[in-house]
């Protein structure tokens, strides 16, 4: 039996940051020996929240591909492609939209939360006031996943409702057209580190609190200097409590400086360590931890054909599978080819 297949993707709204890496990409790299991974660059999904598009989208698609490769995705094991290069996703999305009851979308808590985060609806407002593109993005996501008949999707807890919707759509399609065309993909819940941004909030470009995988050592040092710490530890002589008071620098130490974490916590609590020194140490550990990704990025930038080659190969494979699935779908639905 072949490897099980996984589909996952990222929206190219920006170069990838440490939150993207720790929250997803690192996990894909770890899974690529065990699973057949389809790593999509979800450019159509960008339009669900930025319907006028973003001016440098093509450059960002390239940067995200470089980040995928530099982080360790191997194009020999893993299919890297851009969503809009495989137009069949749009056709399947259209066909799925015909069989998806609107209440399934309106009830989706993740869409509601996203609409609220984007300021598109008020706290208690109904979700019906947003564009279909955003309301229906879980349907496009279902098409993204099911067109490759993926067995699983690696997700965090907050994405589970989307996968459930994908499973419902697959079930409904199979039932209506009396054929098991689509498998019901599992949510592959994986424990991943959630990294806060420099200010302790969720890491995001719009918050200006990100560390990019492409940041230079000096960028990293400068950014870490600005990082928030335990708010009650103002002077070195103030005892801190980094775990309880959620010091973002400490959260980073726990990932990038595991051997010294215990000592740092003890010294911080006993007021033997100041935040300036602690962050300096963190910056050096982080510079070191990201060195392999930075080096690989430099190598890829010198050999840009590596990016073209990875995308060319990935798109070819993705298209072939997507076309086969659509032929099957058109057959069972009695549609023209
Ligand atoms: S000493 Fe380190 S762990 Fe303690 S509050 Fe300052 S930055 Fe955080």
């Amino acid at each position: 039996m072949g490897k099980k297949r996984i589909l996952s993707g990222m929206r190219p709204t920006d170069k990838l940051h440490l939150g993207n890496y720790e929250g997803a990409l690192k996990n894909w790299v770890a899974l690529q020996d065990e699973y057949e991974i389809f790593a999509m660059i979800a450019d159509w999904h960008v339009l669900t929240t930025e319907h006028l598009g973003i001016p440098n989208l093509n450059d960002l698609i390239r940067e995200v591909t470089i980040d995928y490769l530099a982080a360790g995705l191997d194009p020999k094991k893993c299919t890297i492609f851009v969503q809009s290069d495989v137009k069949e996703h749009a056709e399947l999305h259209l066909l799925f939209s015909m069989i998806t009851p609107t209440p399934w979308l309106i009830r989706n808590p993740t869409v509601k939360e996203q609409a609220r985060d984007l300021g598109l609806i008020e706290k208690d407002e109904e979700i019906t006031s947003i564009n279909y593109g955003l309301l229906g993005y879980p349907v496009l996501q279902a098409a993204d996943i099911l067109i490759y008949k993926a067995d699983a999707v690696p997700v965090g807890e907050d994405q589970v409702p989307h996968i459930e919707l994908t499973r419902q759509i697959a079930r409904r399609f199979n039932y209506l057209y009396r054929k098991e065309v689509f498998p019901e993909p599992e949510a592959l819940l994986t424990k991943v580190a959630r990294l806060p941004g420099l200010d302790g909030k969720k890491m995001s470009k719009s918050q200006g609190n990100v560390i990019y995988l492409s940041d230079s050592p000096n960028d990293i040092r400068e950014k870490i200097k600005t990082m928030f710490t335990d708010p009650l530890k103002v002077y070195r002589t103030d005892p801190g409590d980094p775990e309880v008071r959620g010091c973002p620098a400490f959260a980073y130490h726990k990932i990038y400086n595991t051997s010294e974490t215990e000592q740092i916590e003890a010294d911080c609590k006993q007021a033997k360590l100041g935040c300036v020194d602690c962050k300096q140490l963190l910056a050096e550990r982080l510079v070191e931890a990201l060195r392999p990704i930075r080096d690989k990025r430099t190598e890829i930038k010198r050999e840009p054909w590596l990016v073209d080659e990875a995308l060319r190969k990935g798109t070819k494979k993705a298209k072939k599978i997507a076309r086969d699935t659509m032929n099957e779908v058109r057959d069972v639905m009695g549609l023209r080819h």
Side-chain angles (χ1 to χ4, degrees):
M1 211 173 95
K3 286 179 181 176
K4 284 193 169 179
R5 187 175 290 166
I6 279 179
L7 181 291
S8 204
M10 295 211 198
R11 299 196 319 154
T13 49
D14 198 5
K15 294 179 291 183
L16 300 188
H17 53 62
L18 271 188
N20 301 129
Y21 178 65
E22 292 295 341
L25 187 50
K26 195 172 170 181
N27 186 35
W28 304 354
V29 174
L31 292 171
Q32 67 183 338
D33 286 321
E34 196 184 336
Y35 291 90
E36 185 190 8
I37 297 195
F38 280 65
M40 178 176 72
I41 296 168
D43 58 342
W44 276 334
H45 280 280
V46 171
L47 302 172
T48 59
T49 54
E50 319 264 348
H51 60 273
L52 296 178
I54 43 180
N56 53 344
L57 185 61
N58 277 333
D59 296 338
L60 287 173
I61 286 172
R62 212 171 165 82
E63 286 298 321
V64 171
T65 312
I66 296 174
D67 285 328
Y68 277 6
L69 296 171
L73 283 184
D74 178 352
K76 287 195 198 84
K77 300 177 189 163
C78 156
T79 305
I80 301 173
F81 68 100
V82 180
Q83 181 188 31
S84 67
D85 283 343
V86 187
K87 309 287 187 227
E88 286 79 0
H89 287 230
E91 185 184 354
L92 190 56
H93 170 229
L94 171 82
L95 299 177
F96 280 167
S97 74
M98 307 298 175
I99 61 162
T100 306
T102 326
W104 287 6
L105 303 175
I106 294 172
R107 277 200 305 262
N108 187 311
T110 315
V111 177
K112 254 188 189 168
E113 198 184 308
Q114 196 172 8
R116 257 183 239 122
D117 286 353
L118 290 164
L120 298 174
I121 56 167
E122 297 298 327
K123 196 166 176 285
D124 299 317
E125 198 180 337
E126 270 308 310
I127 203 166
T128 42
S129 58
I130 63 174
N131 286 346
Y132 168 73
L134 181 56
L135 181 68
Y137 90 82
V139 184
L140 178 56
Q141 211 170 50
D144 297 333
I145 297 164
L146 295 176
I147 206 159
Y148 301 105
K149 302 192 177 184
D151 300 289
V153 184
V155 286
E157 293 276 357
D158 57 332
Q159 291 286 314
V160 172
H162 283 335
I163 306 309
E164 192 41 49
L165 189 80
T166 299
R167 292 164 59 85
Q168 279 178 301
I169 291 175
R171 247 189 331 262
R172 191 169 170 90
F173 184 97
N174 294 344
Y175 170 76
L176 289 173
Y177 299 104
R178 304 276 185 266
K179 191 168 180 219
E180 289 293 306
V181 175
F182 297 111
E184 289 184 38
E186 301 291 332
L188 194 66
L189 273 174
T190 9
K191 212 173 147 35
V192 289
R194 293 259 169 253
L195 259 195
L198 295 165
D199 54 2
K201 296 185 189 144
K202 187 178 174 195
M203 195 181 281
S204 105
K205 173 191 169 188
S206 58
Q207 298 286 337
N209 62 2
V210 302
I211 297 175
Y212 292 106
L213 295 180
S214 51
D215 276 346
S216 70
N218 276 344
D219 290 338
I220 294 173
R221 290 186 185 105
E222 289 306 312
K223 285 183 177 179
I224 296 287
K225 273 186 199 164
T226 69
M227 191 174 236
F228 284 25
T229 61
D230 175 346
L232 298 186
K233 185 168 167 63
V234 181
Y235 301 105
R236 184 194 176 99
T237 46
D238 295 330
D241 199 344
E243 185 72 63
V244 171
R245 294 191 206 121
C247 166
F250 188 64
Y252 280 59
H253 273 296
K254 286 198 289 188
I255 297 174
Y256 299 106
N257 190 16
T258 44
S259 63
E260 290 174 291
T261 309
E262 221 172 287
Q263 192 61 49
I264 286 168
E265 186 173 16
D267 289 351
C268 172
K269 283 180 160 171
Q270 291 164 31
K272 287 186 191 163
L273 177 67
C275 293
V276 173
D277 290 344
C278 183
K279 289 196 286 184
Q280 240 170 33
L281 176 65
L282 170 64
E284 293 317 312
R285 296 289 179 267
L286 191 54
V287 165
E288 206 39 49
L290 294 181
R291 183 182 303 281
I293 296 180
R294 230 175 13 251
D295 290 351
K296 185 89 192 194
R297 268 194 136 266
T298 312
E299 192 188 315
I300 297 167
K301 288 262 183 183
R302 272 200 304 261
E303 312 262 4
W305 62 269
L306 288 169
V307 180
D308 302 318
E309 183 60 14
L311 287 176
R312 194 193 57 74
K313 253 184 75 182
T315 307
K316 190 174 168 206
K317 181 169 174 191
K319 267 188 172 164
K320 160 93 181 66
I321 297 170
R323 276 190 197 132
D324 289 349
T325 304
M326 285 317 298
N327 282 336
E328 201 182 343
V329 166
R330 290 184 208 116
D331 275 346
V332 299
M333 291 182 78
L335 297 170
R336 285 156 65 87
H337 282 260

PDB file of all heavy atoms in Angstrom, residues 229-230 233 242 247 249-250 264 268 273-275 278-279, ligand 1:
ATOM      1  N   THR A 229       8.342  41.498  27.633  1.00  0.00           N
ATOM      2  CA  THR A 229       8.763  40.522  28.647  1.00  0.00           C
ATOM      3  C   THR A 229       7.710  40.510  29.765  1.00  0.00           C
ATOM      4  O   THR A 229       6.616  41.043  29.573  1.00  0.00           O
ATOM      5  CB  THR A 229      10.144  40.886  29.227  1.00  0.00           C
ATOM      6  OG1 THR A 229      10.035  42.159  29.840  1.00  0.00           O
ATOM      7  CG2 THR A 229      11.208  40.923  28.143  1.00  0.00           C
ATOM      8  N   ASP A 230       8.048  39.934  30.895  1.00  0.00           N
ATOM      9  CA  ASP A 230       7.144  39.975  32.052  1.00  0.00           C
ATOM     10  C   ASP A 230       6.912  41.453  32.424  1.00  0.00           C
ATOM     11  O   ASP A 230       7.861  42.160  32.769  1.00  0.00           O
ATOM     12  CB  ASP A 230       7.835  39.207  33.201  1.00  0.00           C
ATOM     13  CG  ASP A 230       7.050  39.272  34.501  1.00  0.00           C
ATOM     14  OD1 ASP A 230       6.128  40.099  34.613  1.00  0.00           O
ATOM     15  OD2 ASP A 230       7.376  38.485  35.405  1.00  0.00           O
ATOM     16  N   LYS A 233       8.444  42.861  35.648  1.00  0.00           N
ATOM     17  CA  LYS A 233       9.908  42.844  35.851  1.00  0.00           C
ATOM     18  C   LYS A 233      10.478  44.042  35.081  1.00  0.00           C
ATOM     19  O   LYS A 233      10.794  43.952  33.896  1.00  0.00           O
ATOM     20  CB  LYS A 233      10.492  41.520  35.346  1.00  0.00           C
ATOM     21  CG  LYS A 233      11.974  41.361  35.635  1.00  0.00           C
ATOM     22  CD  LYS A 233      12.416  39.928  35.374  1.00  0.00           C
ATOM     23  CE  LYS A 233      13.933  39.790  35.332  1.00  0.00           C
ATOM     24  NZ  LYS A 233      14.609  40.114  36.583  1.00  0.00           N
ATOM     25  N   PRO A 242       8.160  34.305  34.484  1.00  0.00           N
ATOM     26  CA  PRO A 242       7.944  34.310  33.028  1.00  0.00           C
ATOM     27  C   PRO A 242       6.872  33.350  32.546  1.00  0.00           C
ATOM     28  O   PRO A 242       6.159  33.662  31.598  1.00  0.00           O
ATOM     29  CB  PRO A 242       9.319  33.903  32.472  1.00  0.00           C
ATOM     30  CG  PRO A 242      10.021  33.202  33.577  1.00  0.00           C
ATOM     31  CD  PRO A 242       9.508  33.813  34.847  1.00  0.00           C
ATOM     32  N   CYS A 247       5.762  35.653  29.597  1.00  0.00           N
ATOM     33  CA  CYS A 247       6.833  36.406  28.941  1.00  0.00           C
ATOM     34  C   CYS A 247       7.096  35.805  27.548  1.00  0.00           C
ATOM     35  O   CYS A 247       7.478  34.634  27.432  1.00  0.00           O
ATOM     36  CB  CYS A 247       8.100  36.330  29.802  1.00  0.00           C
ATOM     37  SG  CYS A 247       9.561  36.866  28.917  1.00  0.00           S
ATOM     38  N   ALA A 249       9.530  36.258  25.494  1.00  0.00           N
ATOM     39  CA  ALA A 249      10.932  35.835  25.321  1.00  0.00           C
ATOM     40  C   ALA A 249      11.128  34.430  25.911  1.00  0.00           C
ATOM     41  O   ALA A 249      11.838  33.590  25.341  1.00  0.00           O
ATOM     42  CB  ALA A 249      11.868  36.833  25.992  1.00  0.00           C
ATOM     43  N   PHE A 250      10.474  34.185  27.031  1.00  0.00           N
ATOM     44  CA  PHE A 250      10.618  32.872  27.667  1.00  0.00           C
ATOM     45  C   PHE A 250       9.994  31.773  26.790  1.00  0.00           C
ATOM     46  O   PHE A 250      10.539  30.675  26.680  1.00  0.00           O
ATOM     47  CB  PHE A 250       9.979  32.899  29.063  1.00  0.00           C
ATOM     48  CG  PHE A 250      10.242  31.652  29.855  1.00  0.00           C
ATOM     49  CD1 PHE A 250      11.538  31.310  30.222  1.00  0.00           C
ATOM     50  CD2 PHE A 250       9.197  30.809  30.222  1.00  0.00           C
ATOM     51  CE1 PHE A 250      11.791  30.141  30.942  1.00  0.00           C
ATOM     52  CE2 PHE A 250       9.448  29.651  30.941  1.00  0.00           C
ATOM     53  CZ  PHE A 250      10.743  29.309  31.299  1.00  0.00           C
ATOM     54  N   ILE A 264      17.239  29.689  33.260  1.00  0.00           N
ATOM     55  CA  ILE A 264      16.731  31.041  32.982  1.00  0.00           C
ATOM     56  C   ILE A 264      15.521  31.344  33.858  1.00  0.00           C
ATOM     57  O   ILE A 264      15.428  32.416  34.463  1.00  0.00           O
ATOM     58  CB  ILE A 264      16.385  31.182  31.474  1.00  0.00           C
ATOM     59  CG1 ILE A 264      17.683  31.290  30.672  1.00  0.00           C
ATOM     60  CG2 ILE A 264      15.497  32.401  31.204  1.00  0.00           C
ATOM     61  CD1 ILE A 264      17.527  31.140  29.192  1.00  0.00           C
ATOM     62  N   CYS A 268      15.576  34.222  36.577  1.00  0.00           N
ATOM     63  CA  CYS A 268      14.592  35.300  36.402  1.00  0.00           C
ATOM     64  C   CYS A 268      13.788  35.480  37.687  1.00  0.00           C
ATOM     65  O   CYS A 268      13.620  36.585  38.189  1.00  0.00           O
ATOM     66  CB  CYS A 268      13.692  34.948  35.221  1.00  0.00           C
ATOM     67  SG  CYS A 268      12.287  36.043  34.996  1.00  0.00           S
ATOM     68  N   LEU A 273      18.806  37.599  36.802  1.00  0.00           N
ATOM     69  CA  LEU A 273      18.945  37.779  35.355  1.00  0.00           C
ATOM     70  C   LEU A 273      18.064  38.944  34.916  1.00  0.00           C
ATOM     71  O   LEU A 273      16.898  39.028  35.290  1.00  0.00           O
ATOM     72  CB  LEU A 273      18.493  36.490  34.639  1.00  0.00           C
ATOM     73  CG  LEU A 273      18.490  36.481  33.122  1.00  0.00           C
ATOM     74  CD1 LEU A 273      19.905  36.570  32.545  1.00  0.00           C
ATOM     75  CD2 LEU A 273      17.804  35.209  32.591  1.00  0.00           C
ATOM     76  N   GLY A 274      18.645  39.842  34.118  1.00  0.00           N
ATOM     77  CA  GLY A 274      17.862  40.971  33.598  1.00  0.00           C
ATOM     78  C   GLY A 274      17.330  40.643  32.209  1.00  0.00           C
ATOM     79  O   GLY A 274      17.869  39.793  31.499  1.00  0.00           O
ATOM     80  N   CYS A 275      16.271  41.359  31.811  1.00  0.00           N
ATOM     81  CA  CYS A 275      15.632  41.061  30.519  1.00  0.00           C
ATOM     82  C   CYS A 275      16.554  41.384  29.339  1.00  0.00           C
ATOM     83  O   CYS A 275      16.512  40.686  28.318  1.00  0.00           O
ATOM     84  CB  CYS A 275      14.328  41.823  30.393  1.00  0.00           C
ATOM     85  SG  CYS A 275      13.097  41.252  31.583  1.00  0.00           S
ATOM     86  N   CYS A 278      18.903  38.507  29.002  1.00  0.00           N
ATOM     87  CA  CYS A 278      18.133  37.309  28.658  1.00  0.00           C
ATOM     88  C   CYS A 278      17.753  37.334  27.176  1.00  0.00           C
ATOM     89  O   CYS A 278      17.856  36.329  26.465  1.00  0.00           O
ATOM     90  CB  CYS A 278      16.889  37.281  29.546  1.00  0.00           C
ATOM     91  SG  CYS A 278      15.877  35.830  29.296  1.00  0.00           S
ATOM     92  N   LYS A 279      17.371  38.508  26.684  1.00  0.00           N
ATOM     93  CA  LYS A 279      16.958  38.613  25.282  1.00  0.00           C
ATOM     94  C   LYS A 279      18.163  38.548  24.338  1.00  0.00           C
ATOM     95  O   LYS A 279      18.063  38.035  23.234  1.00  0.00           O
ATOM     96  CB  LYS A 279      16.148  39.894  25.072  1.00  0.00           C
ATOM     97  CG  LYS A 279      14.765  39.813  25.715  1.00  0.00           C
ATOM     98  CD  LYS A 279      13.800  40.867  25.215  1.00  0.00           C
ATOM     99  CE  LYS A 279      14.114  42.219  25.754  1.00  0.00           C
ATOM    100  NZ  LYS A 279      13.113  43.228  25.341  1.00  0.00           N
TER     101      LYS A 279
HETATM  102  S1  LIG B   1      14.539  37.696  32.425  1.00  0.00           S
HETATM  103 FE1  LIG B   1      14.020  36.622  30.558  1.00  0.00          FE
HETATM  104  S2  LIG B   1      12.425  35.200  31.108  1.00  0.00           S
HETATM  105 FE2  LIG B   1      12.572  36.701  32.768  1.00  0.00          FE
HETATM  106  S3  LIG B   1      11.021  38.233  32.228  1.00  0.00           S
HETATM  107 FE3  LIG B   1      12.989  38.944  31.433  1.00  0.00          FE
HETATM  108  S4  LIG B   1      12.991  38.186  29.318  1.00  0.00           S
HETATM  109 FE4  LIG B   1      11.415  37.050  30.411  1.00  0.00          FE
END
